[in-house]
Amino acid sequence: MKKKEINVALIGYKFMGRAHGNAYISAPKFFSLPVQPVLHTIVGRDQKGVAAVANQWGWKSFETDWRRVLENEEIDLVDVGTPNSSHAEISIAAAEVGKAIACEKPLAMNVAEAKAMVKAVKKNRVHNYVWFNYRRAPAISLARELIDEGRLGKIYHLRAVYLQDWIMDPNFPLVWRLQKKIAGSGAHGDLNSHLIDLARFLLRTEFDEVCGMAKTFIKERPIEIPGRGFATVKTARKKGKVDVDDAVLFLARFGNGAIGTFEATRFAKGRRNGNQIEINGSKGTLVFNLERMNELQFFDDTLPKQEQGFRRILVTEPVHPYIHGYWPPGHIIGYEHTFISMVVDIMNHLAGRTKEFHADFEDGLRCQEVLDAVLLSCKERRWVRIKEVA
Amino acid sequence: MKKKEINVALIGYKFMGRAHGNAYISAPKFFSLPVQPVLHTIVGRDQKGVAAVANQWGWKSFETDWRRVLENEEIDLVDVGTPNSSHAEISIAAAEVGKAIACEKPLAMNVAEAKAMVKAVKKNRVHNYVWFNYRRAPAISLARELIDEGRLGKIYHLRAVYLQDWIMDPNFPLVWRLQKKIAGSGAHGDLNSHLIDLARFLLRTEFDEVCGMAKTFIKERPIEIPGRGFATVKTARKKGKVDVDDAVLFLARFGNGAIGTFEATRFAKGRRNGNQIEINGSKGTLVFNLERMNELQFFDDTLPKQEQGFRRILVTEPVHPYIHGYWPPGHIIGYEHTFISMVVDIMNHLAGRTKEFHADFEDGLRCQEVLDAVLLSCKERRWVRIKEVA
Amino acid sequence: MKKKEINVALIGYKFMGRAHGNAYISAPKFFSLPVQPVLHTIVGRDQKGVAAVANQWGWKSFETDWRRVLENEEIDLVDVGTPNSSHAEISIAAAEVGKAIACEKPLAMNVAEAKAMVKAVKKNRVHNYVWFNYRRAPAISLARELIDEGRLGKIYHLRAVYLQDWIMDPNFPLVWRLQKKIAGSGAHGDLNSHLIDLARFLLRTEFDEVCGMAKTFIKERPIEIPGRGFATVKTARKKGKVDVDDAVLFLARFGNGAIGTFEATRFAKGRRNGNQIEINGSKGTLVFNLERMNELQFFDDTLPKQEQGFRRILVTEPVHPYIHGYWPPGHIIGYEHTFISMVVDIMNHLAGRTKEFHADFEDGLRCQEVLDAVLLSCKERRWVRIKEVA
Amino acid sequence: MKKKEINVALIGYKFMGRAHGNAYISAPKFFSLPVQPVLHTIVGRDQKGVAAVANQWGWKSFETDWRRVLENEEIDLVDVGTPNSSHAEISIAAAEVGKAIACEKPLAMNVAEAKAMVKAVKKNRVHNYVWFNYRRAPAISLARELIDEGRLGKIYHLRAVYLQDWIMDPNFPLVWRLQKKIAGSGAHGDLNSHLIDLARFLLRTEFDEVCGMAKTFIKERPIEIPGRGFATVKTARKKGKVDVDDAVLFLARFGNGAIGTFEATRFAKGRRNGNQIEINGSKGTLVFNLERMNELQFFDDTLPKQEQGFRRILVTEPVHPYIHGYWPPGHIIGYEHTFISMVVDIMNHLAGRTKEFHADFEDGLRCQEVLDAVLLSCKERRWVRIKEVA
């Protein structure tokens, strides 16, 4: 008996296009799924570029205008992998025509957009997902299980940093991620969005208030000259203003009484993808570092004092979240598996095998509220309660 | 223009079947290849089992008798992923009909078989590959580059252990890997083969002589009862003799004057896949641990004394071996990528884009010689020169 | 020829009494000093207690009133190792009688006290030292050398946490460190003082403005009943209010354009003495962790991309700061050696062999200004410029 | 009441002289001892050198001939910290005059000497101690406690390496440690002696048989010219033959059925003092590394599978061995504290407060038997049973 097919249209074909496309291919191979994802159509504005990706990754067709896939009745799931500025428009349009939607993070450019998106998916009762992929790193899923079981006791502290260093060269060009009109913000929306989401996911509490600061270390960068690409140190004088942050740091109070620090930066030399989180509770501590994503450190205060210590759990056992679909113990998985596991969950949800799904657009909105509150706090140099911007 | 297709027949469909199958699917997506691998036929003795895998992983057809694929003119590459006892028979037969061959490690049950295999591929001038997949962990490839550049200076020491713990429960059953007639040896052929191969690969030298010891800690295990599966602690009295080693340790002298220690064991509690290698030279040291396979530690004695230290290189940069095909810096890859990268190299070699390939059947034979010499040494309790068994 | 003796009077005989006393004994043994520190008098209010310590550690005499040692003309150096509330009174009195002073950190209860102390030592031209002992951890000294040499380039970020967990049990009693009138503040003065001092020491810049938050997780604790000691979970109902912080977190802007986060807490389960600092600059990164105080991690961006990584420098070489006096490479030192090395520097300074000394009372005042600015910020929920409290 | 004094005579005043001298000073300060060690006499052949050390470290007197201290009735404990070749002569003479003896490791040049030493201390019924100081690293003591409690279950494997790199420069001179007539052997007696002793101490079993190999990488080195010091690369042509090993590796079988590998080398670049030990049992694993001597890693297989991992125990709690005498949790100790703790145990034993002491001369003899068996094995290229040399 052939499985029901889920025809996917993926808008965007670059970095996220690869990550998502690979996930649709791999998920039904590593896992037994109730429905079969089909790489139906990939969309990109550059015809040559998108055609090449379609060919290499096995998409059945491609388009240069995303509106075409919304018109196509065959499409079941619209995957929004574009820069942030078009998330709302595409998602709302997709909702209006009844498509399920998987949207990249951050959900929107601001709370207003995010609210409109939530409204649209609710009104049209369409399935909606946000690609907060790190929720499905097995170590993160395990961390949540341990917290849910009360292994940390009462939570006191969370400290989260997301450290990168890929734009530290002053001659690194003014790519879309450094332009406010396309990206919304800099490291903040890109990286703090992950940290905020993981904090909500792991602690099962909402942010109460925040106080932050933003910094742009390099204020001008080479801009693209049509037909000649980005200026480089040698060829070009032409520079444009960087109007997003390079780093945003903030303090937070949570609804459950815990307190936290957050930092997103692209100026931490040597930290390539340093998403690091530590949570301290009355009974224990958990530590995660994305650069060693197969590991979770756990300090358990209920063990006898003389043998307490930070336990490096290699999260590659069949009993660990998602691992049964992959490899034997000690055979590590990588970055891409967070996407594969998310596709597994999406397909199970679309098929009705599971009732709940996280993260959805509501989660995306909650995250957006915190992002906006932090930016307001940075601007007005004061503590901002989340409900001020909600 | 459509690319030339390479039709693959994969013999074996369990653990290695998954690892190889996934690699044929992923390689042409992550990398631009000159030829297109096609998942043509998968072979397994259990029709129901192999059919299910063929369906899930997208093989065009399946067979229950490997001889059928040798008869099939469409097949270009025969991938031997069966237990060790059938490597020689299948590979030699495939060579006789002119197929390219990719054989799992260890190449053979003993030197005699390995020699016959080398002879067959040479006589028939067929491409031949051995799945020593860890050669293509980017950190290992980088280690070899650094050694080739002379960064370690004169090599003095290599110490290599491959530590696992999956059979420590005395009720773990007598699977094929614990039966001499199928596996040839225990941890020795399975794990020391990797270490021996990596030593040869990294040091570019041959073993001169070895002195070893073997140990079987658990001497009897539950055996399979037809139709009822393996005996468990509760159901069954029936036990069979374990006639392979649980651990083999040996000392070695290399042709270049370096000395080394090797240890393969399945009785190192907590070490899930602990393939650990350290190499000391006059100018530096390298350290690798498969459980953190994205990292390579490098001590460089040419730096000023006050700032010398073990440098943890996160081997995820575009300049690192194979990484340009995968993800951005800091986004780690996993176990399966060692197979994907090997398929990339196989396809480039089959297409003539590259002239050299490692590891081939000659490498497999060299490794087998060392394996046999160690077993002879264990038996006769003395140093054995490799040339005694070659 | 006998060396000039420096007669030391140590006020306080418990934890710091041990640390300081040991340092005076060990410094002239490990190092060749121009003058000889003599353990002249130790002072404590409990006669029995101080007598026992004097006997065990070899002090020539003891007193129960610190004023007596100020009257004693033999005393050259007054070491103030008492709780914070008496630092100012003792230090000022000692200055007035012309004694050199080594005062524990934080220097004072507030800026006003600290200013008076600075004024007193200046007026009386007495040598003055503050026991910011971690400046002399060899790894910290090395870090400063590397920063001074420009190895980090322009500094962008500093993130510093000092994590402990020794008061997390709600039945842990209301010791002096948890009483505002004696300690001034909680984790803030005790731990953030170290971080603030190290930031100033390492970056050679001053704080510009700060924004913080304070939290007291356990608001009541068992109090001492005269003659019966502290109440325990079983014996006593009597509880007192905790009027200091358990944790203080803050954001900071530095004069040189760098930004930072700071966190001091006694509620980070499993972190026994987790003084952790990371500094990111345009050319590199440094990481320090007091629990592994013999190590410094250094990321050097000037190395070729393919071999960059975090280098774990074992700071135990003769070329490293202070190490020539201790043991051969790889033979680690411990917590107490930070005090021994400080005594070495004090003796060299008292003898005129060196002209400069850090940290002095001016440094203590600078640190106090930041401490006070943070507390004001916590209270008024706003950014506070250091000059507001200076 | 004044405590009974134990007058110590220390033979040897260089590296070990410092380590031992410091221990006699510090032990009665950190710990409450039943007797008081007194630094009575230090002995060295170079009058100027020994006088300077005596003065700096506070010895009451010095001698240039060790025989003089044996004649001195005041001396209670003779501490033999000389090169290996004189251990036997001095110790036996000390025993004959009824002195307690603390002898550096390895106990002797060979089994014959060691036997004579054991005979002498037994005949004269004198207390006898061997400075296997690493037994008293708190992490090692804790490891033994855990093993004694059965926490590792049945022991399968021990792998121990002691890696150093201080003589890798070919121009490093021919010091006494590289001369057979003084040192007996090279890395073997110096470093493998520690590993052999720790294996016996931790596993509480004896070695059964061994098979080893020795290697001297640099066969000639600059020699000392009377009055001009060691030749250096520039000044001197004069070289002498290195007649000891640079590295000795061996396999071992223990009486309890466990197997092990051992390696001592001075040619492991970057490993300054890399005494690393791993022990695998049916229920768990322990890992120790001297360069991080305050830590012990413990894998406990009795925990639920999903939370198993290597636990980094920071061995600085008051409940940990010896720590109550030093500092609070997280405040690490260093190399010298292994000697201090040994003096504590010696004094308690001399005072009769404890009945047992390890390691004594019998332990030293057992270690010597293994050392000799390994050297015989290296020479004859075969397995050697310990009883062949005992």
Side-chain angles (χ1 to χ4, degrees), chain A residues 18 292 295 325 327 336-337, chain B residues 18 292 295 325 336-337:
Chain A
R18 278 166 66 98
R292 285 178 170 169
E295 304 178 14
W327 306 108
E336 70 206 54
H337 296 79
Chain B
R18 278 167 66 97
R292 286 178 169 168
E295 303 177 15
E336 70 207 55
H337 296 79

Side-chain angles (χ1 to χ4, degrees), chain A residues 15 18-20 22 25-33 56-58 134 162 164 270-273 289-295 312 314 316-317 324-337 340, chain B residues 15 18-20 22 25-33 56-58 134 162 164 270-273 289-295 312 314 316-317 324-337 340:
Chain A
F15 177 16
R18 278 166 66 98
H20 295 203
N22 179 69
I25 293 167
S26 296
K29 295 188 168 53
F30 284 108
F31 292 81
S32 178
L33 301 180
Q56 182 155 358
W57 286 84
Y134 296 137
Y162 204 140
Q164 296 187 340
R271 302 297 184 188
R272 305 312 198 199
N273 202 23
N289 179 351
L290 184 60
E291 290 182 357
R292 285 178 170 169
M293 63 168 266
N294 292 271
E295 304 178 14
R312 184 174 60 84
L314 192 56
T316 58
E317 296 294 316
H324 68 279
Y326 301 116
W327 306 108
H331 296 66
I332 68 168
I333 62 170
Y335 167 71
E336 70 206 54
H337 296 79
I340 298 172
Chain B
F15 177 17
R18 278 167 66 97
H20 295 204
N22 178 69
I25 292 168
S26 296
K29 297 188 167 53
F30 284 107
F31 293 80
S32 178
L33 301 181
Q56 181 153 0
W57 285 83
Y134 296 137
Y162 204 142
Q164 296 187 338
R271 301 298 184 187
R272 305 311 196 198
N273 203 23
N289 179 352
L290 184 61
E291 291 182 357
R292 286 178 169 168
M293 63 168 266
N294 292 270
E295 303 177 15
R312 184 174 61 84
L314 192 56
T316 58
E317 297 294 316
H324 69 279
Y326 300 117
W327 306 108
H331 295 67
I332 68 169
I333 62 170
Y335 167 71
E336 70 207 55
H337 296 79
I340 298 172

Side-chain angles (χ1 to χ4, degrees), chain C residues 18 292 295 325 336-337, chain D residues 18 292 295 325 327 336-337:
Chain C
R18 277 166 67 95
R292 286 178 171 169
E295 304 178 14
E336 71 207 54
H337 295 78
Chain D
R18 278 166 66 96
R292 285 178 170 168
E295 304 178 15
W327 306 108
E336 70 207 53
H337 295 78

